[in-house]
Amino acid sequence: MPYNKKSFSKASIIVVLIGDSGVGKTSLMNQFFNRKFTEQYKATIGSDFLSKEILVDDYVVTIQVWDTAGQERFQSLGVAFYRGADCCVLCFDVNDSKSFESLDNWRDEFLIQAAPQDPENFPFVVIGNKIDVEESKRMVSQKRAMAWCQSKGGIPFFETSAKEATKVEEAFQAIAKIAVEQEKEYELYK
């Protein structure tokens, strides 16, 4: 449904997707922005970004999502994009326990490289992707992932399937809402 942009406040946010190679960061981004999924795997070299306007509460939000390389040899390129981010999305594959166990390292590295003003309250979101794969191959339970998120201060958690578009839209709407809330709070205390 079209909306009258003049009747809404505007916000602009930058979101960074990080996580191990092959967890589906690019597929999540393509599903959210283009409503497309491809089976072909092509590693991201450095980073890529897309942006679009979405409606979040009473804000027209321009959301810019940066997809960073998960491969070790390209990680130094991604850190340049960490600074200025309004939200960081930690991604893992529910069928790959190593990708889940890497979340601590990804989170710590982001906080070091991005150097946010308030690291204790910087907004993170966790996405466990590839829930479309048969249950018997699943390596990381929802309960385990939620426990990890709770241990880090209650990070919001979403399980998605970029392939089947399961909860991708909901996750990015929540990410935008969290980032906008953080921006509003920051503006109040400026």
Side-chain angles (χ1 to χ4, degrees):
M1 180 170 97
Y3 51 89
N4 180 353
K5 291 182 188 179
K6 291 180 181 174
S7 63
F8 292 93
S9 299
K10 291 185 182 242
S12 185
I13 59 169
I14 297 172
V15 176
V16 180
L17 299 178
I18 61 176
D20 285 0
S21 184
V23 299
K25 298 180 298 293
T26 302
S27 294
L28 285 163
M29 190 168 86
N30 284 330
Q31 186 58 254
F32 175 64
F33 286 97
N34 304 316
R35 306 222 186 299
K36 290 183 182 168
F37 177 81
T38 179
E39 292 281 349
Q40 290 182 307
Y41 175 72
K42 189 176 139 216
T44 303
I45 297 173
S47 64
D48 191 15
F49 79 94
L50 291 171
S51 64
K52 75 175 182 179
E53 285 186 343
I54 61 172
L55 193 57
V56 176
D57 297 333
D58 56 346
Y59 283 81
V60 173
V61 178
T62 301
I63 182 170
Q64 188 177 92
V65 178
W66 284 87
D67 172 20
T68 62
Q71 293 174 310
E72 193 78 31
R73 62 189 169 139
F74 296 121
Q75 283 179 12
S76 62
L77 298 172
V79 297
F81 304 105
Y82 292 0
R83 290 189 188 267
D86 297 301
C87 183
C88 178
V89 181
L90 303 166
C91 302
F92 73 97
D93 175 349
V94 298
N95 310 293
D96 177 359
S97 57
K98 183 188 167 297
S99 71
F100 175 73
E101 290 156 10
S102 297
L103 292 183
D104 274 315
N105 292 336
W106 283 107
R107 183 177 176 275
D108 294 347
E109 187 64 21
F110 176 86
L111 289 171
I112 290 165
Q113 298 298 331
Q117 286 183 327
D118 186 3
E120 292 296 312
N121 295 306
F122 187 85
F124 284 92
V125 172
V126 173
I127 291 182
N129 193 33
K130 302 188 183 183
I131 60 169
D132 53 276
V133 176
E134 66 185 71
E135 188 66 30
S136 65
K137 293 185 179 179
R138 187 172 180 139
M139 306 276 295
V140 182
S141 70
Q142 186 177 41
K143 185 177 179 180
R144 181 177 172 202
M146 289 175 77
W148 185 88
C149 289
Q150 274 311 118
S151 76
K152 302 298 180 201
I155 297 174
F157 172 64
F158 294 89
E159 286 195 333
T160 63
S161 167
K163 182 178 184 176
E164 296 177 353
T166 306
K167 298 216 174 160
V168 174
E169 183 75 28
E170 293 94 325
F172 278 96
Q173 281 285 337
I175 290 162
K177 187 175 179 115
I178 290 164
V180 167
E181 289 300 318
Q182 185 77 5
E183 281 292 301
K184 286 197 286 191
E185 232 174 83
Y186 176 72
E187 289 300 317
L188 286 174
Y189 298 107
K190 221 173 172 181

